[in-house]
């Protein structure tokens, strides 16, 4: 596995996290913003860390779109 393949798989994984809908998916399984606030009052846990990362990634959609464009252009040029 090369560094390029690792970067592509990371971009795909970040895309998957960025499109998760809070109302239809995250709240249904207890991973919504309410769970994040509840967990922070009780103390830090692995669940609150993961929920925090999911919400942080959803705010970084514009840089993620630019990163996707760079990957697509590089794949088109390199073949």
């Amino acid at each position: 596995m090369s560094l390029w393949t690792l970067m592509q798989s990371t971009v795909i994984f970040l895309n998957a996290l960025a499109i998760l809908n809070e109302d239809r998916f995250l709240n249904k399984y207890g991973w919504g913003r309410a769970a994040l606030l509840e967990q922070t009052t009780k103390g830090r846990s692995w669940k609150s860390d993961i929920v925090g990362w999911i919400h942080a990634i959803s705010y970084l959609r514009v840089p993620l779109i630019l990163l996707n464009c760079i990957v697509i252009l590089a794949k088109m040029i390199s073949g």
Side-chain angles (χ1 to χ4, degrees), residues 47-72:
K47 182 179 177 180
S48 64
D49 289 342
I50 292 172
V51 171
W53 276 101
I54 290 172
H55 288 290
I57 291 169
S58 68
Y59 284 114
L60 295 174
R61 287 185 180 166
V62 174
L64 191 57
I65 291 170
L66 294 174
L67 187 60
N68 281 314
C69 291
I70 291 170
V71 168
I72 290 169

Side-chain angles (χ1 to χ4, degrees), residues 7-73:
M7 190 186 93
Q8 286 177 338
S9 61
T10 303
V11 169
I12 290 171
F13 180 71
L14 291 176
N15 284 330
L17 290 179
I19 65 169
L20 288 176
N21 189 325
E22 185 172 351
D23 295 330
R24 289 188 296 175
F25 182 75
L26 295 176
N27 285 336
K28 183 177 177 181
Y29 296 106
W31 289 75
R33 196 173 307 271
L36 177 64
L37 296 174
E38 178 183 315
Q39 292 293 326
T40 55
T41 58
K42 292 181 181 177
R44 253 183 110 150
S45 68
W46 63 272
K47 182 179 177 180
S48 64
D49 289 342
I50 292 172
V51 171
W53 276 101
I54 290 172
H55 288 290
I57 291 169
S58 68
Y59 284 114
L60 295 174
R61 287 185 180 166
V62 174
L64 191 57
I65 291 170
L66 294 174
L67 187 60
N68 281 314
C69 291
I70 291 170
V71 168
I72 290 169
L73 286 173

